Amino acid sequence: MGKKSAERNARLDTLRREQRRQERRRSFLIYGTGGLVAVAVLAGIIVYALVANQAKDESHSVGHVTAASAAATAAGCTGVVNDASRGNTHVAANQPVNYDLAPPSSGNHDASPLPDAYRFYERIPNLRIERAVHNLEHGFIIGWYDAKLPDDQVTALRTAADAAGNRFIAVPWARSEFADNKHFVLTAWDRTQRCATVSESAIKEFVKTYANPSPAGAAWASPTASESGASGGPLDLSPTIAGTAQAGSSAQADNTQAGNTQAGTAPSAGSDTGTATSAPAGAATSTP
């Protein structure tokens, strides 16, 4: 091999080594960068999941307050407060429960919930609040109104109840006056929102978010309600405590309820027309 051939071969070997070095560098850059991107994406996913889970845990923790929506704010409503569970034991039909929160968002209650054929309950004497609390455990939303809610707001609530869907009932609260001049209160099981005025939009938002199941079929479930998603009670408007009703009152209740049924104000047992009706003012006087 001549001198020139040896030099040429040496130059070719040098070029080949440099080419292989550059190819290795390009491969490292390509695969190394891709690996770093993949690691970064994976880390981002993990961080997002941790943050989302933490936020979810906080939103379900006792004492957490979900900010009021624009519609709720306009109605003078507070945010939605997560309340501590106050029990869910069934009590006898003649046993009152002294709720430490007015109105209650959970607690021990009558074994028979109020019939959900009625969307709006008049101020019936001795209405069994304990029955309404059972409706809460069944995933209903209750709009409570106290004796201080003005008549025009009661009328607005009656109209709103008609439009709120079959997971909402309006129930009077006669045991006390609500605090802070908030005479209308929305509750789900372990959720409370207190309002100064009645807002159909705020009611619908609350129902959509917290009813279980919601009208849209959302899967949100209260972490403490053992019977979420169940139906309302039988068509029985006899909410007084046993022993306080007189036989004559019971007979009058039967006659009144029969008359209301004939007049079309009370659906037949088990029916759900989807139309809000009011509980007759004189139809609730006998024992549950």
Side-chain angles (χ1 to χ4, degrees):
M1 180 182 296
K3 182 178 180 181
K4 291 184 178 180
S5 296
E7 291 176 350
R8 185 175 63 251
N9 290 339
R11 287 196 299 272
L12 289 174
D13 288 341
T14 301
L15 290 173
R16 291 190 187 102
R17 286 194 298 272
E18 178 63 21
Q19 184 178 15
R20 288 194 293 269
R21 186 184 70 81
Q22 291 180 358
E23 288 176 351
R24 287 194 300 270
R25 184 170 180 273
R26 283 195 298 270
S27 297
F28 175 78
L29 289 174
I30 292 171
Y31 293 111
T33 302
L36 290 174
V37 170
V39 170
V41 170
L42 180 60
I45 292 173
I46 293 173
V47 170
Y48 176 81
L50 290 174
V51 171
N53 286 336
Q54 182 179 3
K56 182 177 180 180
D57 290 342
E58 290 178 354
S59 69
H60 282 75
S61 64
V62 172
H64 176 80
V65 180
T66 301
S69 67
T73 299
C77 301
T78 64
V80 180
V81 181
N82 290 4
D83 299 320
S85 175
R86 286 169 164 79
N88 63 347
T89 301
H90 290 177
V91 301
N94 63 348
Q95 181 181 351
V97 177
N98 294 320
Y99 296 107
D100 61 357
L101 186 65
S105 60
S106 67
N108 298 340
H109 48 264
D110 196 299
S112 175
L114 289 175
D116 57 343
Y118 300 107
R119 304 286 183 259
F120 181 88
Y121 279 83
E122 304 284 350
R123 289 189 172 108
I124 303 171
N126 301 317
L127 180 68
R128 280 282 281 172
I129 296 302
E130 292 82 359
R131 293 182 71 182
V133 175
H134 198 159
N135 289 79
L136 288 175
E137 190 184 32
H138 280 195
F140 283 83
I141 303 302
I142 293 183
W144 305 90
Y145 64 105
D146 69 7
K148 292 287 187 178
L149 187 70
D151 290 344
D152 64 325
Q153 292 295 296
V154 175
T155 299
L157 177 57
R158 184 182 284 106
T159 300
D162 184 41
N166 61 6
R167 304 300 291 171
F168 175 85
I169 56 176
V171 178
W173 177 264
R175 296 189 180 185
S176 62
E177 179 182 333
F178 295 150
D180 301 324
N181 203 34
K182 306 289 188 182
H183 301 299
F184 174 63
V185 180
L186 289 162
T187 59
W189 186 265
D190 61 31
R191 300 291 188 273
T192 298
Q193 183 170 44
R194 299 176 182 273
C195 300
T197 60
V198 173
S199 165
E200 183 175 314
S201 296
I203 290 172
K204 287 181 176 179
E205 288 176 349
F206 196 94
V207 170
K208 182 178 180 180
T209 304
Y210 297 108
N212 182 31
S214 76
W220 185 92
S222 165
T224 60
S226 61
E227 300 183 45
S228 292
S231 63
L235 195 61
D236 171 20
L237 289 181
S238 42
T240 59
I241 297 173
T244 64
Q246 298 179 359
S249 297
S250 178
Q252 180 182 0
D254 292 339
N255 293 334
T256 304
Q257 184 166 343
N260 284 325
T261 302
Q262 293 173 0
T265 59
S268 59
S271 70
D272 186 0
T273 62
T275 302
T277 55
S278 297
T285 52
S286 59
T287 305

